[in-house]
């Protein structure tokens, strides 16, 4: 089912039919979720629910007093294409492939629907027949994940890696190489949130320092060429905004991060921030810094006080290349 515009009701009724469950290609999705769009929270929630096989939406069906609550299963294969990023909750549930315009020296065969649609249908039938032959075999398979792939990326990639293992040959190795490359690329380019970007930039600015004045931090943030801090809502970031954004995160003791007094002279103090207050948030929210100095990101791990016993896996490396939008 190809669409560039769809209502939530149309989408969930289209994919909830068990006899004709559609694979959805949602093109020009930036017009639905882009910065100039209205948000479309109902549609976003529906797409998020369809991420798992157990996903359903509940609706009242019927007239007047005869209405009953009906469950509509919304699990379906979904690919989205568009400009820019989607809402974070959709991106985190997706395999992200950044696309680039073809270069003048790159040649491809033109797509002709009259010719290539038939080839696509034949390929689909072959894949469906193969899937039926291995379906029972894959029900309880737990494929081995590459090092550093965990949490939601692991949920997204487990079925794909299981299919690759069933295909055999070069597919298991190729699938895991693609998994690592695409997940690390998505992480490196992930804006995540402005707050996480702020934490990451502050970690880089602090370097080996144990504390820094707010005035110095604001100046260095504004100097970052590829960061939003010099033009945050039309003006450079100020101390009040910095304190408000960092207040959303907590120290290792569970207290909101706040500016504290730093002695600047025999009888003078100024507000600033301490690494000891930021270290826990850096470790929990920021991607590991490449070759991080032992006094900052590396030592931050030792300062984390877990709320519950946890096992911490080694993180994947953080370089980046391309990305786009698909699930």
């Amino acid at each position: 089912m190809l669409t560039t515009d769809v209502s939530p009701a149309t989408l969930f009724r289209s994919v909830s039919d068990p006899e004709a469950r559609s694979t959805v290609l949602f093109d020009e999705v930036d017009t639905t979720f882009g910065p100039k769009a209205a948000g479309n929270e109902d549609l976003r929630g529906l797409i998020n629910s369809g991420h798992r096989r157990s996903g359903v939406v509940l609706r009242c069906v019927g007239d007047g007093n005869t209405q009953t609550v009906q469950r509509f299963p919304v699990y379906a294969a979904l690919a989205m294409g568009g400009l820019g990023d989607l809402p974070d909750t959709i991106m985190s549930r997706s395999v992200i492939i950044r696309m680039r315009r073809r270069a003048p020296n790159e040649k491809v065969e033109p797509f002709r629907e009259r010719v290539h649609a038939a080839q696509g249908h034949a390929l689909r039938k072959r894949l469906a027949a193969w899937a039926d032959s291995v379906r029972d075999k894959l029900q309880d398979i737990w494929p081995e994940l590459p090092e550093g792939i965990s949490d939601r990326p692991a949920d997204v990639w487990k079925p794909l890696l299981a299919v690759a293992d069933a295909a055999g040959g070069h597919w298991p190795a190729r699938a895991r190489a693609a998994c690592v490359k695409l997940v690390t690329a998505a992480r490196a380019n992930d804006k995540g949130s402005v707050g996480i970007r702020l934490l990451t930039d502050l970690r880089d600015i602090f370097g080996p320092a144990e504390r820094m004045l707010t005035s110095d931090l604001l100046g260095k943030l504004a100097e970052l060429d590829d960061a939003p801090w010099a033009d945050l809502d039309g003006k450079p970031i100020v101390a009040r905004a910095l304190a408000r954004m960092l207040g959303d995160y907590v120290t290792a003791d569970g207290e909101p991060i706040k500016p504290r007094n730093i002695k600047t002279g025999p009888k003078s103090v100024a507000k600033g921030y301490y690494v000891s207050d930021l270290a826990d948030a850096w470790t929990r929210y920021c991607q590991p810094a490449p070759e991080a100095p032992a006094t900052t990101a590396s030592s931050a791990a030792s300062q984390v006080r877990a709320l519950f016993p946890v096992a911490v896996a080694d993180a994947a490396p953080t370089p980046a290349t391309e990305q786009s939008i698909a699930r």
Side-chain angles (χ1 to χ4, degrees), residues 111-177:
F111 176 77
R112 297 289 182 262
E113 185 169 359
R114 186 171 60 181
V115 175
H116 297 104
Q119 296 176 0
H121 292 320
L123 179 59
R124 180 188 61 192
K125 291 178 180 178
R126 289 176 56 196
L127 288 170
W130 178 82
D132 286 337
S133 72
V134 299
R135 189 183 312 278
D136 294 339
K137 173 184 174 183
L138 296 181
Q139 290 297 325
D140 299 316
I141 293 296
W142 292 87
E144 182 179 352
L145 292 166
E147 185 177 358
I149 304 301
S150 60
D151 301 326
R152 189 157 282 162
D155 294 338
V156 172
W157 278 92
K158 279 179 182 176
L160 300 176
L161 297 179
V163 169
D165 289 344
H170 58 78
W171 289 110
R174 290 187 68 182
R176 284 166 175 80

Side-chain angles (χ1 to χ4, degrees), residues 233-282:
D233 296 328
K235 58 184 179 181
I237 187 172
V238 296
R240 187 183 298 273
L242 179 64
R244 184 184 69 250
M245 295 172 68
L246 290 178
D248 290 336
Y249 303 92
V250 298
T251 68
D253 294 321
E255 297 293 330
I257 295 174
K258 295 180 180 179
R260 293 198 280 152
N261 289 335
I262 296 177
K263 192 172 183 180
T264 58
K267 296 183 179 180
S268 62
V269 295
K271 293 293 184 181
Y273 293 87
Y274 286 76
V275 164
S276 58
D277 291 340
L278 294 161
D280 188 83
W282 285 342

Side-chain angles (χ1 to χ4, degrees), residues 28-306:
E28 299 181 17
V29 72
D30 52 291
T31 62
T32 301
F33 294 113
K36 296 183 179 179
N40 291 293
E41 289 302 301
D42 288 345
L43 186 59
R44 181 177 68 87
L46 172 61
I47 290 174
N48 290 341
S49 297
H51 174 63
R52 294 185 180 276
R53 189 174 295 276
S54 57
V56 297
V57 296
L58 303 177
R59 293 293 186 272
C60 287
V61 177
D63 298 319
N65 295 329
T66 63
Q67 290 190 9
T68 59
V69 175
Q70 184 171 336
R71 297 163 58 91
F72 291 89
V74 292
Y75 173 76
L78 170 65
M80 292 163 281
L83 302 176
D85 288 338
L86 295 180
D88 293 341
T89 54
I90 295 179
M91 295 284 280
S92 66
R93 290 167 169 82
S94 303
V95 173
I96 303 167
I97 305 169
R98 293 287 179 191
M99 300 172 68
R100 296 179 295 175
R101 183 183 297 274
R102 188 172 74 249
N105 63 332
E106 293 176 328
K107 305 299 181 183
V108 297
E109 180 184 356
F111 176 77
R112 297 289 182 262
E113 185 169 359
R114 186 171 60 181
V115 175
H116 297 104
Q119 296 176 0
H121 292 320
L123 179 59
R124 180 188 61 192
K125 291 178 180 178
R126 289 176 56 196
L127 288 170
W130 178 82
D132 286 337
S133 72
V134 299
R135 189 183 312 278
D136 294 339
K137 173 184 174 183
L138 296 181
Q139 290 297 325
D140 299 316
I141 293 296
W142 292 87
E144 182 179 352
L145 292 166
E147 185 177 358
I149 304 301
S150 60
D151 301 326
R152 189 157 282 162
D155 294 338
V156 172
W157 278 92
K158 279 179 182 176
L160 300 176
L161 297 179
V163 169
D165 289 344
H170 58 78
W171 289 110
R174 290 187 68 182
R176 284 166 175 80
C179 172
V180 171
K181 187 176 184 67
L182 292 177
V183 170
T184 53
R187 286 171 174 168
N189 287 280
D190 182 20
K191 300 300 187 294
S193 70
V194 177
I196 294 176
R197 174 63 190 266
L198 176 61
L199 287 173
T200 304
D201 286 345
L202 287 177
R203 182 186 62 183
D204 295 340
I205 289 171
F206 264 86
E210 295 183 359
R211 58 187 180 273
M212 288 188 69
L213 297 178
T214 299
S215 57
D216 294 336
L217 290 175
L218 294 174
K220 292 184 178 297
L221 285 170
E223 292 173 359
L224 297 177
D225 292 336
D226 62 342
W229 315 122
D231 187 19
L232 194 65
D233 296 328
K235 58 184 179 181
I237 187 172
V238 296
R240 187 183 298 273
L242 179 64
R244 184 184 69 250
M245 295 172 68
L246 290 178
D248 290 336
Y249 303 92
V250 298
T251 68
D253 294 321
E255 297 293 330
I257 295 174
K258 295 180 180 179
R260 293 198 280 152
N261 289 335
I262 296 177
K263 192 172 183 180
T264 58
K267 296 183 179 180
S268 62
V269 295
K271 293 293 184 181
Y273 293 87
Y274 286 76
V275 164
S276 58
D277 291 340
L278 294 161
D280 188 83
W282 285 342
T283 304
R284 295 180 187 276
Y285 294 99
C286 302
Q287 293 299 316
E291 300 179 3
T295 53
T296 55
S298 300
S299 63
S302 65
Q303 300 184 48
V304 173
R305 301 179 190 173

